[in-house]
């Protein structure tokens, strides 16, 4: 679909690296992830409204203990809602073709990480001023356990801002990684 859009002149995707300067190219990478996270957070909140949750999003939540395969389990309407981000962003913002590839690959990788069921980040990661901005497997796995919290995709901004982070997230995270670190030390 992306290739068709690209050929149709509807998109602002560019392939000549010199069309925009390097600073724009480099800034576009975090920008698309921040925009995608914004889009995902709010559409995800929408999917948790009563009717949409029952009719659409429940398929994804059938797994209370997610695995990487859970990242592929969703209703076709949810696929349309979430799939709409890419055509929208490439029609609105000039992006180098490699930035589009980084976004697509990054979204798949982060989706798998979120459903990994294994926390590989170290103790204290969520409390770190910079790394704490990134979502962890523990964060999304608790979205599957208690559906009223942790709606983000890549970042923790919106959950923090809207007060939808699970209470005691830091404590839950450290309790998960602590036994592993104790074992490693011993
Ligand atoms: Zn959900
Ligand atoms: Zn999920």
């Amino acid at each position: 679909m992306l290739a068709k859009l690209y050929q149709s002149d509807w998109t602002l995707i560019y392939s000549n690296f010199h069309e925009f300067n390097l600073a724009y190219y480099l800034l576009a990478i975090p920008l698309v992830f921040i925009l995608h996270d914004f889009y995902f957070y709010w559409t995800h909140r929408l999917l948790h409204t009563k009717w949409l949750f029952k009719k659409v999003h429940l398929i994804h939540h059938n797994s209370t203990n997610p695995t990487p395969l859970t990242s592929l389990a969703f209703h076709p309407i949810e696929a349309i809602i979430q799939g709409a981000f890419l055509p929208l962003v490439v029609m609105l913002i000039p992006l180098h073709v490699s930035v589009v590839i980084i976004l697509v690959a990054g979204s798949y990788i982060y989706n798998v990480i979120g459903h990994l069921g294994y926390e590989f980040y170290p103790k204290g990661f969520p409390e770190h001023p910079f790394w704490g901005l990134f979502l962890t497997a523990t964060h999304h796995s608790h979205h599957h356990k208690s559906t009223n919290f942790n709606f983000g995709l890549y970042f923790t901004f919106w959950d923090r801002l809207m007060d939808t982070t699970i209470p005691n997230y830091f404590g839950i995270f450290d309790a998960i990684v602590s036994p592993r670190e104790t074992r490693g030390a011993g």
Side-chain angles (χ1 to χ4, degrees), residues 44 47-48 53 57 60-61 140 143-144 147 151:
H44 193 185
L47 286 165
H48 275 260
F53 186 79
H57 193 47
H60 185 69
H61 277 274
H140 191 70
H143 176 67
H144 282 261
T147 54
F151 295 93

Side-chain angles (χ1 to χ4, degrees), residues 161-182:
L161 215 66
M162 302 312 294
D163 208 15
T164 51
T165 307
I166 194 164
N168 195 25
Y169 169 46
F170 296 167
I172 292 169
F173 184 94
D174 283 349
I176 286 172
V177 299
S178 290
R180 182 179 71 199
E181 294 201 347
T182 311

Side-chain angles (χ1 to χ4, degrees), residues 153-166:
L153 175 61
Y154 308 110
F155 307 112
T156 53
F157 322 132
W158 287 102
D159 279 310
R160 286 189 196 189
L161 215 66
M162 302 312 294
D163 208 15
T164 51
T165 307
I166 194 164

Side-chain angles (χ1 to χ4, degrees), residues 40 44 57 60-61 63 66-67 70-71 73 78 111 114-115 140-141 143-144 150 152:
F40 183 88
H44 193 185
H57 193 47
H60 185 69
H61 277 274
S63 169
T67 69
T70 312
S71 60
E78 183 165 349
N111 223 333
H115 296 101
H140 191 70
S141 127
H143 176 67
H144 282 261
N150 301 4

Side-chain angles (χ1 to χ4, degrees), residues 82-104:
Q82 296 309 346
F85 176 75
L86 192 60
L88 277 174
V89 79
V90 296
M91 284 192 279
L92 293 171
I93 302 170
L95 294 173
H96 187 265
V97 67
S98 64
V99 175
V100 178
I101 292 167
I102 291 168
L103 172 66
V104 173

Side-chain angles (χ1 to χ4, degrees), residues 32-100:
V32 286
F33 284 100
I34 289 167
L35 288 175
H36 192 196
D37 191 66
F38 167 80
Y39 179 90
F40 183 88
Y41 179 89
W42 289 105
T43 50
H44 193 185
R45 288 287 303 264
L46 194 70
L47 286 165
H48 275 260
T49 52
K50 213 172 168 186
W51 189 88
L52 278 170
F53 186 79
K54 232 172 94 185
K55 300 283 181 195
V56 176
H57 193 47
L58 186 63
I59 293 180
H60 185 69
H61 277 274
N62 276 337
S63 169
T64 50
N65 203 5
T67 69
L69 283 177
T70 312
S71 60
L72 303 171
F74 43 77
H75 191 281
I77 293 178
E78 183 165 349
I80 292 168
I81 294 173
Q82 296 309 346
F85 176 75
L86 192 60
L88 277 174
V89 79
V90 296
M91 284 192 279
L92 293 171
I93 302 170
L95 294 173
H96 187 265
V97 67
S98 64
V99 175
V100 178

